[in-house]
């Protein structure tokens, strides 16, 4: 399994935001996660990416990784994007991407002061990779502009480029289509849809069911911090508990 | 009573609300529906002035678009926010008492005891801190706090958000009970419940009002379902 | 035994003064999220104004104290208006540096006005002592403890039993929701700075009779108040008071039984240990500082 | 020049990663001209040390150079990696006492070595101790640290001297030469400033800069993209504190006299002023800010005892009204000039149409 999360639980005071969630994503698999607002999807993503303290166990690309260690989780091959795009506004676009490169040789003081030659050599490779990642999301032209100057949609794309630069084993995307217009959403769907073929597994949370259907072969439905359904989209949409919790009774009529 | 014209909210370069017109008459229950990211919450926040916006907002004939949020609340335009925002370090009882800050001398239809009558669940929790409440209990406190502000119009943002169906039933039972006494502008994802409560509804998609009319009519339109499933293109064509 | 009792009472009295400073500091921090680095110099200014009112104006001592408290409440409001309100939405670094600048101005004003040579402020009880378990305790120390106890009780009631107090606490935990509830945040922030100014002056007049008054009078108490707030977890009134008493006791007992040269160091060592082992404070649960 | 080979080097051979169109492969941050700036400062120091002929003038020059080194260190800790530390003044003191202690009866080089090793080691130990604290707690912890340090300087007489006062510290000697004259000292201090600038410039022209800025802007997000936040935080703190230690060593041997007073709160405030007045957004900020902090009090001499008052008001005014500091003003002036030229061109186009 590329990603295996078992028994993930997050409590805020008395509120059980995530209440024992098991989820596995296989190699080259794309999984969609849906559920009403406040059902714990984002908190679950925050837990498996180490941003909030959680209980449970986590495996990335077949290796156990401790929860609560965002850096170690990223280096193990789990990359993410955020619900509202989190770019470093004062850095240029390409620097944003460079930050996430897996090759961390000569990035410290030793590289800056002593190993300048090695640092430049590595940096040129990192630079080429970062530029390629930016090119993939259509931002190569803006590489040297501060990220703060990008539009909202472009910031999302930049975040995606940053997540994809190290060829992660799995990408976790938190509402990647929020705030995007139709053309941007279509472009996003194309980018995400290509990932499994490139060997990157995908876990995507989104409210646009069209997008989820388009990119995911499996859908997980969450409600009140638990998984209430898991299966192929067409089948999951028909289940009563999903209809009740999420689509509303009228929504079922469409199927 | 509340008149909103050409409301626009932008975050950086993103347009969240793109020219919304909206009216709520005295004593009316109005629902504001639409999928996530359609701009419902931003509309509500713009009306209560916690996010900057352009356009005109008139409440009871008076422009409120330039006031501070606390001044808007003191005029009786009271907002029960998404995510409830119960004060975590105050007890249930104290949260309710703080609700009275916005009265500004207006007579109130509700006192603290009335709130306990509406939500008897809260009585044993009187002295429990806000952070230790469940989501449903927090929602009850938030609604009670809003009612104690002597609202002339209550803006309710997603009162069913993240709550178990039985709790949603409780919350809506109370909303139905108070609906005759307090006008409501209700933002909701649970279309069905909202349309049962409201007399009129607006449906938003991509920052605009895509559809509006009496609740019964709105409920029958296909665009409503379409907008929820992300087929925003259909909605725009219809609008 | 006498030695212990004497050190203990002095420690509690010193801790009580730190508690008063820390409460003012906590008040501002809770209502606005700001760490006010001018708090120490407000203590000093309070003591100097009391000295001025008692000697130059020849007011009775309690009148002089009242003048100091009132004047410092006004100074607190001025700081809020000039050093905080204009930059409220800027980064917390900016706000902290701005309060540092305010501290520098106050300090400079004191030096210009009263010079740098040490002076004294009489206590209302002079140098009278009372014997407790064989130890000779200055009555001033007992006065400090008594006044602080009253003050803490009054503040507790203010915070928990009045609408003002509930509003401050609401503002502290969720500014946006507080605004939505119609709480006038600008007025609240002025009031809390004013109240904190008054508390500083009170701490100043309480501590001044126990030592020579110089322009550095308030600096130490401010540092200890910071330490007390951290020990108490930056949370409740009770936590801060317990933290402040612990600081005062550690300082006096450490100075008395270990080495007096390092008496000032022990409280900070305690604080650093707490930060290292339990960053959220001994009594605290969650930290919500804006810095 | 360490970076000079870059311009001619071909793109690394990774066909799949090769972007569609050919472009220069240097990130823009590496195109900056920090090294030219370092050379300019070096030339300025030489010119000033030759041009100034009064002991008073040399005193100001020395202060500027030392303050600049301290400020550069604080730039790394505070401006670049966003750590709100009050400990910089204490590390100046630690360096000063350590160097006097170690160089007694030996050469200056031993003192310098001791200052570097001791300030780096103490900074590391302290940073590791409080590594779980953030923001406000960290600020207070550093404040407590500097208070403890002052008391230790005063009381630990075997390390410092009775009361922490040491007089008659010999002038520095290196390579058999004693830097006794004002001019010699200015050149020596200038060499240290150039070294400090060079080391900072190399950090600015390296991946460390972007990681520090990312850490400063949002440490949580930085961690999720794989920035080693812990190493970065400790590293920058230790580095900046070591700059302070070296500056302390230079200060002790230049002035010949130290006491705990020299490292009290006033020094801490001065360091904030140096960085903020100069402009926290640029490594040149501290150099400009130090010049101002050293030069302005002399110009303000006529205001006499109101100096401290004006200083405090200035601090508030700067953070409220000029967030970019002096560097920001210079940049704004540059932009204004350029915009002026642009406007003229636009108008001429309009006339032709």
């Amino acid at each position: 399994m590329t990603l295996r999360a078992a028994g993930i639980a997050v409590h805020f005071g008395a509120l059980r935001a995530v209440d024992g969630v098991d989820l596995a994503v296989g190699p080259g698999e794309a999984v969609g996660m849906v559920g009403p607002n406040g059902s714990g999807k984002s908190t679950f993503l925050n837990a498996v990416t180490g941003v909030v303290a959680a209980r449970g166990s986590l495996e990335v690309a077949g290796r156990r990784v401790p929860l609560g260690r965002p850096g170690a989780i990223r280096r193990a091959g789990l990359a993410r994007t955020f619900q509202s795009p989190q770019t470093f506004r004062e850095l240029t676009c390409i620097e944003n991407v460079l930050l996430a490169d897996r090759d961390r040789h000569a990035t410290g003081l030793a590289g800056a002061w002593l190993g300048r030659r090695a640092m430049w050599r590595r940096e040129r490779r990192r630079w080429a990779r970062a530029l390629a990642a930016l090119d993939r999301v259509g931002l190569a032209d803006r590489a040297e502009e501060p990220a703060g100057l990008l539009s909202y949609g472009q910031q999302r794309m930049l975040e995606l480029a940053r997540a994809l630069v190290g060829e992660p084993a799995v990408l976790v995307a938190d509402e990647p289509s929020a705030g995007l217009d139709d053309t941007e959403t279509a472009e996003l769907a194309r980018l995400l849809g290509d990932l499994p073929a490139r060997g990157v597994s995908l876990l995507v949370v989104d409210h646009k069911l069209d997008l989820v259907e388009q990119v995911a072969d499996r859908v997980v439905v969450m409600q009140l911090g638990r998984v209430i359904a898991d299966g192929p989209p067409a089948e999951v949409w028909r289940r009563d508990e999903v209809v009740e919790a999420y689509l509303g009774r009228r929504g079922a009529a469409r199927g | 009573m509340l008149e909103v014209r050409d409301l626009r909210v932008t975050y950086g370069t993103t347009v969240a609300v793109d020219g919304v017109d909206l009216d709520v008459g005295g004593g009316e229950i109005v629902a504001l529906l639409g999928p996530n990211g359609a701009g419902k919450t931003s509309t509500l926040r713009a009306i209560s002035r916690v996010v900057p916006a352009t356009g005109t907002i008139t409440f009871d004939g008076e422009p409120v678009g330039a006031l501070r949020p606390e001044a808007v609340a003191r005029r009786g335009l009271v907002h029960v926010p998404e995510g409830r925002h119960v004060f975590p370090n105050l007890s249930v009882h104290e949260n309710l008492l703080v609700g009275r800050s916005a009265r500004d001398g207006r007579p109130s239809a509700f006192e603290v005891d009335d709130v306990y009558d509406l939500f008897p669940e809260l009585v044993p929790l009187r002295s429990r801190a806000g952070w230790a409440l469940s989501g449903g209990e927090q929602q009850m406190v938030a609604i009670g706090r809003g009612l104690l502000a002597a609202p002339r119009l209550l803006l309710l943002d997603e009162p069913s958000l993240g709550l178990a169906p039985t709790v949603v039933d409780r919350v809506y039972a109370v909303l139905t009970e108070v609906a005759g006494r307090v006008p409501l502008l209700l933002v909701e994802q649970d279309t069905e419940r909202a349309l049962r409560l409201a007399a009129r509804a607006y449906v938003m998609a991509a920052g605009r009002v895509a559809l509006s009319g009496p609740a019964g009519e709105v409920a029958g339109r296909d665009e409503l379902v379409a907008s929820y499933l992300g087929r925003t293109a259909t909605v725009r064509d219809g609008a | 035994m006498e030695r212990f009792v004497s050190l203990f009472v002095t420690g509690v009295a010193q801790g009580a003064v730190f508690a008063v400073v820390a409460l003012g500091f906590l008040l501002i921090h809770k209502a606005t999220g700001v760490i006010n680095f001018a708090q120490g110099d407000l203590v000093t200014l309070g003591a100097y104004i009391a000295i001025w009112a008692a000697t130059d104006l020849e007011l009775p001592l309690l009148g002089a104290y009242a003048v100091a408290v009132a004047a410092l409440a006004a100074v607190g409001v001025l700081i809020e208006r000039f050093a905080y309100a204009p930059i409220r939405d800027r980064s917390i670094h900016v706000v902290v540096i701005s309060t540092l600048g305010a501290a520098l101005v106050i300090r400079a004003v004191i030096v210009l006005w009263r010079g740098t040579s040490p002076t004294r402020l009489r206590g209302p009880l002079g140098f009278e002592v009372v014997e407790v378990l064989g130890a000779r305790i200055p009555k001033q120390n007992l006065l400090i403890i008594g006044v602080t106890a009253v003050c803490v009780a009054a503040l507790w009631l203010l915070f928990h039993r009045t609408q003002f107090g509930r509003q401050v606490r609401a503002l502290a935990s969720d500014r946006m929701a507080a605004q939505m509830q119609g709480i006038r945040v600008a007025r609240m922030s002025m009031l809390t700075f004013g109240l904190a100014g008054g508390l500083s002056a009170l701490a100043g007049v309480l501590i001044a009779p126990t030592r020579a008054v110089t322009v550095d009078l308030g600096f130490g108490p401010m540092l200890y108040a910071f330490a007390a707030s951290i020990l108490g977890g930056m949370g409740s009134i009770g936590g801060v008071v317990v933290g402040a008493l612990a600081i005062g006791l550690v300082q006096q007992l450490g100075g008395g039984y270990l080495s007096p040269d390092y008496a000032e160091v022990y409280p900070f060592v305690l604080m650093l240990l707490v930060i290292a082992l339990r960053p959220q404070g001994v009594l605290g649960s969650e930290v919500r500082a804006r810095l | 020049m360490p970076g000079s080979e870059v311009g001619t080097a071909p793109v690394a051979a990774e066909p799949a990663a090769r972007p569609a169109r050919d472009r220069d492969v240097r990130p823009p941050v590496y195109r900056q001209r920090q090294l030219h700036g370092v050379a300019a400062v070096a030339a300025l120091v030489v010119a000033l040390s030759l041009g100034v002929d009064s002991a008073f003038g040399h005193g100001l020059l020395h202060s500027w150079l030392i303050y600049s080194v301290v400020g550069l260190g604080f730039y790394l800790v505070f401006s670049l990696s966003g750590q709100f530390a009050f400990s910089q003044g204490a590390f100046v003191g630690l360096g000063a006492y350590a160097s006097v202690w170690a160089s007694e009866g030996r050469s200056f080089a031993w003192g310098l070595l001791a200052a570097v090793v001791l300030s780096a080691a103490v900074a590391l130990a302290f940073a590791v101790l409080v590594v779980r604290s953030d923001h406000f707690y960290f600020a207070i912890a550093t404040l407590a640290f500097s208070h403890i340090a002052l008391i230790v300087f005063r009381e630990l007489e075997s390390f410092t001297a009775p009361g922490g006062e040491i007089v008659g510290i010999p002038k520095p000697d290196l390579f058999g030469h004693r830097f006794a004259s004002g001019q010699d000292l200015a050149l020596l201090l200038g060499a240290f400033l150039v070294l400090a600038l060079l080391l900072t410039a190399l950090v600015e022209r390296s991946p460390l800069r972007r990681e520090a800025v990312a850490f400063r802007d949002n440490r949580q997000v930085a961690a999720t993209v794989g920035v080693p936040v812990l190493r970065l935080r400790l590293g920058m703190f230790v580095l900046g504190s070591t700059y302070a230690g070296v500056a302390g060593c230079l200060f002790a041997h230049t002035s010949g006299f130290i006491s705990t007073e020299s490292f009290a709160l006033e020094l801490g405030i001065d360091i904030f002023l140096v960085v903020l007045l100069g402009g926290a957004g640029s490594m040149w900020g501290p150099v400009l800010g130090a010049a101002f902090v050293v030069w302005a009090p002399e110009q303000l001499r006529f205001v006499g005892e109101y100096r401290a008052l004006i200083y405090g008001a200035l601090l508030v005014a700067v953070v409220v009204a000029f967030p970019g500091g002096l560097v920001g003003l210079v940049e704004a002036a540059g932009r204004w000039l350029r915009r002026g030229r642009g406007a003229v061109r636009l108008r001429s186009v309009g006339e032709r149409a």
Side-chain angles (χ1 to χ4, degrees):
Chain A
M1 282 292 140
T2 314
L3 169 70
R4 186 197 294 278
I8 301 293
V10 182
H11 293 193
F12 298 126
L15 178 72
R16 289 192 206 159
V18 178
D19 197 6
V21 169
D22 301 317
L23 182 74
V25 181
E29 196 182 15
V31 176
M33 182 181 261
V34 298
N37 266 343
S39 59
K41 306 180 301 291
S42 279
T43 310
F44 173 73
L45 298 196
N46 285 338
V48 296
T49 52
V51 179
V52 300
R55 278 178 304 171
S57 70
L58 179 68
E59 242 178 59
V60 178
R63 278 192 300 143
R64 279 227 36 183
V65 194
L67 284 164
R69 300 268 310 278
I73 292 170
R74 175 69 175 86
R75 286 189 285 273
L78 191 156
R80 77 168 291 178
T81 62
F82 291 84
Q83 206 166 22
S84 60
Q86 300 288 335
T87 57
F88 300 103
R89 305 175 68 83
E90 288 175 43
L91 296 176
T92 60
C93 294
I94 190 128
E95 284 179 305
N96 265 279
V97 179
L98 284 166
L99 281 174
D101 199 288
R102 261 213 220 168
D103 172 13
R104 305 208 51 82
H105 285 284
T107 56
L109 267 187
W113 285 350
L114 305 172
R116 298 289 289 186
R117 193 166 287 275
M119 189 269 279
W120 284 113
R121 201 169 54 239
R122 297 276 182 178
E123 194 69 356
R124 274 196 299 277
R125 287 187 205 147
R126 285 192 280 259
W127 174 253
R129 278 194 294 268
L131 209 51
L134 282 175
D135 205 39
R136 239 158 94 192
V137 302
L139 285 175
D141 290 344
R142 315 284 305 261
E144 296 179 13
E145 283 177 42
L149 296 182
L150 295 183
S151 75
Y152 186 87
Q154 288 169 329
Q155 301 222 15
R156 283 223 170 278
M157 291 300 173
L158 174 59
E159 224 194 354
L160 202 58
R162 188 177 67 191
L164 292 176
V165 70
E167 294 302 322
V170 54
L171 171 72
V172 171
D174 194 357
E175 300 213 17
S177 78
L180 298 189
D181 64 28
D182 294 345
T183 38
E184 287 170 332
T185 307
E187 171 67 10
L188 176 81
R190 190 186 60 75
L191 278 169
L192 293 180
D194 286 349
L195 289 180
R198 298 173 54 112
V200 180
S201 304
L202 185 63
L203 173 61
V204 56
V205 167
D206 210 284
H207 279 282
K208 285 188 184 147
L209 301 190
D210 281 3
L211 176 77
V212 173
E213 273 181 15
Q214 201 178 331
V215 301
D217 359 283
R218 209 179 102 210
V219 175
V220 172
V221 183
M222 279 188 74
Q223 157 89 334
L224 296 173
R226 292 166 183 272
V227 173
I228 58 165
D230 183 346
E235 184 212 317
V236 164
W237 299 153
R238 277 195 295 273
R239 290 200 204 161
D240 281 349
E241 64 270 26
V242 176
V243 169
E244 182 86 14
Y246 188 46
L247 297 171
R249 277 157 216 114
R250 289 189 47 88
R254 88 195 183 94
Chain B
M1 186 166 203
L2 176 71
E3 263 184 49
V4 177
R5 291 290 171 269
D6 197 27
L7 190 73
R8 281 168 206 279
V9 179
T10 50
Y11 301 115
T13 54
T14 321
V15 181
V17 179
D18 190 9
V20 162
D21 294 345
L22 191 145
D23 293 271
V24 183
E28 221 185 356
I29 312 294
V30 175
L32 184 55
L33 309 171
N36 243 48
K40 310 180 301 287
T41 293
S42 295
T43 302
L44 229 51
R45 290 180 165 206
I47 294 172
S48 63
R49 299 281 303 134
V50 288
V51 300
T54 60
T56 56
I57 305 167
T58 320
F59 185 54
D60 227 9
E62 258 187 291
V64 296
L67 297 177
R68 289 161 175 269
E70 55 266 39
V72 174
R74 284 173 170 268
R75 307 246 157 135
L77 195 51
V78 176
H79 188 162
V80 177
E82 176 188 355
R84 308 178 276 270
H85 288 264
V86 165
F87 299 114
N89 300 323
L90 269 60
S91 70
V92 167
H93 195 66
E94 287 176 322
N95 264 285
L96 295 178
L97 290 176
V98 165
R100 299 194 301 196
S101 305
R103 281 186 191 177
D104 215 21
R106 280 190 309 278
S108 175
F110 297 92
E111 287 305 329
V112 177
D113 285 344
D114 301 322
V115 171
Y116 285 126
D117 285 346
L118 287 172
F119 294 113
E121 298 89 333
L122 295 181
V123 175
L125 305 175
R126 278 175 63 101
S127 51
R128 183 171 294 181
W131 61 263
L133 299 176
S134 72
E137 291 156 358
Q138 288 189 350
Q139 189 63 58
M140 295 175 193
V141 171
I143 292 174
R145 196 175 60 180
L147 291 174
L148 286 169
R152 293 195 294 162
L153 173 62
L154 199 60
L155 310 173
L156 270 172
D157 198 352
E158 306 242 13
S160 70
L161 190 83
L163 303 185
T166 52
V167 182
V168 179
D169 288 343
R170 269 297 291 138
V171 167
Y172 268 85
V174 170
L175 288 180
T176 313
E177 207 177 325
V178 301
R181 287 185 276 173
V182 181
L184 299 176
L185 175 57
L186 175 69
V187 161
E188 186 54 277
Q189 281 203 32
D190 190 335
T191 317
E192 210 173 336
R193 281 188 210 271
L195 288 176
R196 238 183 284 147
L197 183 66
R200 280 195 309 121
Y202 293 84
V203 179
M204 285 185 73
R208 296 164 191 256
V209 173
L211 187 63
S212 68
E217 278 180 34
V218 168
R221 299 279 290 268
D222 283 344
E223 292 99 315
L224 178 63
V225 174
S227 74
Y228 270 79
L229 295 171
R231 300 203 161 90
T232 46
T234 331
V235 178
R236 280 194 187 155
D237 294 341
Chain C
M1 187 64 194
E2 301 99 65
R3 186 168 155 73
F4 176 78
V5 170
S6 167
L7 288 171
F8 185 84
V9 174
T10 312
V12 171
Q14 294 286 309
V17 174
F18 305 153
V20 174
V21 182
L23 286 175
F25 158 77
L26 181 73
L27 191 64
I28 290 180
H29 178 63
K30 293 219 103 180
T32 64
V34 168
I35 308 301
N36 178 19
F37 280 92
Q39 199 82 9
D41 293 287
L42 291 176
V43 171
T44 319
L45 185 62
Y48 272 102
I49 287 180
I51 292 173
W52 166 75
T55 56
D56 294 20
L57 299 184
E58 295 175 5
L59 290 180
L61 211 46
L62 287 179
Y65 287 4
V67 168
V69 170
L72 263 287
V75 173
V77 173
L78 285 180
I79 290 180
E80 198 274 344
R81 289 288 90 191
F82 289 103
Y84 170 63
I87 49 173
R88 201 190 63 221
D89 296 326
R90 298 261 297 279
S91 120
I92 189 70
H93 288 176
V94 172
V95 180
V96 165
I97 287 157
S98 177
T99 66
L100 268 176
L104 222 58
V105 169
I106 294 172
R107 186 170 269 258
V109 166
I110 293 173
V111 171
L112 285 174
W113 180 43
R114 307 300 291 188
T116 47
S117 53
T119 49
R120 293 205 79 86
L121 176 65
R122 276 176 297 136
L125 305 172
F127 296 99
E128 292 172 42
V129 295
V130 58
E131 244 179 63
V132 179
L133 296 170
R136 291 162 56 80
I137 308 289
K139 282 189 179 168
Q140 177 71 20
N141 278 348
L142 299 179
L143 180 74
I144 290 175
I145 295 168
V147 170
T148 303
V150 170
C151 199
V152 167
L155 266 185
W156 192 90
L157 287 174
L158 180 71
F159 262 68
H160 292 270
R161 290 287 179 269
T162 69
Q163 187 72 352
F164 169 79
R166 284 189 285 269
Q167 290 185 340
V168 172
R169 287 160 59 218
L171 187 58
S173 56
D174 193 331
R175 187 182 175 84
M176 190 188 77
Q179 284 185 308
M180 286 179 171
Q181 291 305 317
I183 294 173
R184 292 178 168 131
V185 292
R187 184 181 300 183
M188 298 300 283
S189 123
M190 275 198 288
L191 281 172
T192 50
F193 269 83
L195 193 53
L199 281 172
S200 310
L202 186 66
V205 298
L206 285 176
I207 200 170
T210 66
R211 58 188 71 184
V213 176
T214 68
V215 75
D216 287 322
L217 178 77
F219 185 68
M222 177 177 77
L223 286 189
Y224 293 126
F226 285 156
S229 309
I230 285 182
L231 290 186
M234 295 295 292
S236 63
I237 293 181
V240 165
V241 171
V242 171
L245 293 179
I247 295 277
L249 285 173
V250 166
Q251 185 196 29
Q252 290 300 316
L253 297 176
Y257 290 109
L258 297 171
S259 157
D261 293 345
Y262 292 100
E264 287 181 63
V265 169
Y266 304 125
F268 293 124
V269 172
L270 175 68
M271 183 191 89
L272 287 179
L273 283 177
V274 166
I275 287 181
L277 300 174
R278 213 182 130 77
Q280 69 274 42
V282 175
L283 301 165
S285 49
E286 197 187 349
V287 189
R288 286 172 190 268
R290 249 182 75 199
L291 191 99
Chain D
M1 291 286 135
S4 57
E5 80 277 15
V6 168
T8 55
V11 179
E14 283 198 8
R18 186 76 186 265
R21 56 196 187 80
D22 258 5
R23 33 189 316 140
D24 192 346
V25 291
R26 282 182 300 168
V29 63
Y30 308 145
R31 294 213 188 104
Q32 289 172 14
R33 298 277 180 264
Q34 289 101 337
L35 299 179
H36 294 67
V38 175
V41 170
L44 182 66
V45 170
V46 172
L48 281 175
S49 66
L50 296 178
V52 172
D53 50 7
S54 67
F56 174 72
H58 276 129
L60 287 186
L61 186 54
H62 299 160
S63 298
W64 171 53
L65 296 168
I66 293 171
Y67 266 111
S68 296
V69 175
V70 181
L72 268 178
F74 197 52
Y75 168 77
L76 294 171
V77 175
F78 177 71
S79 313
L80 205 54
S81 56
Q83 304 184 63
F84 208 113
F86 285 95
S87 51
Q88 194 76 353
F91 283 106
V92 175
L94 182 63
Y97 284 112
S99 80
V100 173
W101 169 73
S103 67
E104 204 171 356
R106 281 186 289 264
S107 76
F108 169 75
W110 284 104
L112 183 63
L113 183 69
V116 169
V117 171
L118 207 62
S119 47
V122 172
L124 182 63
F126 173 75
V128 168
L129 181 73
V130 299
V131 74
R132 287 170 66 193
S133 71
D134 234 342
H135 300 305
F136 167 62
Y137 279 30
F138 180 76
I140 300 296
T142 55
L143 196 60
F145 170 80
S146 50
H147 201 64
I148 293 176
L150 278 184
I151 294 165
V152 170
F153 295 154
R154 198 179 63 214
E155 303 296 342
L156 195 64
E157 296 177 355
S158 55
F159 174 58
T160 59
E165 281 197 9
I166 306 178
V167 291
I169 303 164
K171 298 290 178 202
D173 60 298
L174 270 178
F175 314 117
H177 178 72
R178 190 165 290 280
F179 295 80
S181 73
Q183 199 177 75
D184 276 8
L185 276 169
L187 286 171
L188 178 72
L189 297 175
F192 274 97
L193 174 59
V194 168
L195 179 68
L197 283 169
L198 200 62
L199 291 177
T200 312
L202 291 180
V203 168
E204 291 263 301
R205 291 166 56 88
S206 85
L208 255 184
R209 193 196 111 90
R210 62 173 178 255
E211 299 200 336
V213 172
F215 172 77
R216 177 188 73 198
D217 283 1
N218 191 333
R219 35 195 83 175
Q220 263 191 341
V221 175
T224 63
V225 303
V227 172
V229 288
L230 182 70
R231 195 184 76 188
L232 192 75
R233 180 179 171 174
L234 296 183
M236 291 309 238
F237 183 75
V238 170
L239 183 59
S241 302
T242 309
Y243 276 38
V246 170
C249 158
L250 297 174
F251 169 72
H253 291 271
T254 304
S255 74
F257 165 78
I258 51 175
S259 79
T260 53
E261 296 284 298
S262 326
F263 314 111
L265 188 68
E266 283 74 14
L267 177 64
I269 303 265
D270 275 353
I271 294 168
F272 268 107
L273 268 174
V274 162
V275 167
L276 291 167
L277 259 175
S282 151
M283 65 174 274
W284 306 108
V287 181
L288 272 181
F292 185 88
V293 164
V294 170
W295 170 80
E298 299 311 323
Q299 304 310 307
L300 288 174
R301 190 156 283 223
F302 67 93
V303 298
E305 47 193 352
Y306 290 92
R307 218 171 69 183
L309 185 68
I310 290 172
Y311 243 54
L314 197 64
L315 188 58
V316 178
V318 165
V319 297
V320 172
F322 308 105
L326 293 173
V327 167
L329 284 181
V330 171
E331 279 171 358
R335 266 198 307 278
W336 184 78
L337 283 174
R338 275 197 298 279
R339 195 179 54 190
R341 283 208 302 273
V344 170
R345 225 177 294 134
L346 267 179
R347 208 177 303 127
S348 64
V349 171
E351 278 162 10
R352 213 168 43 189

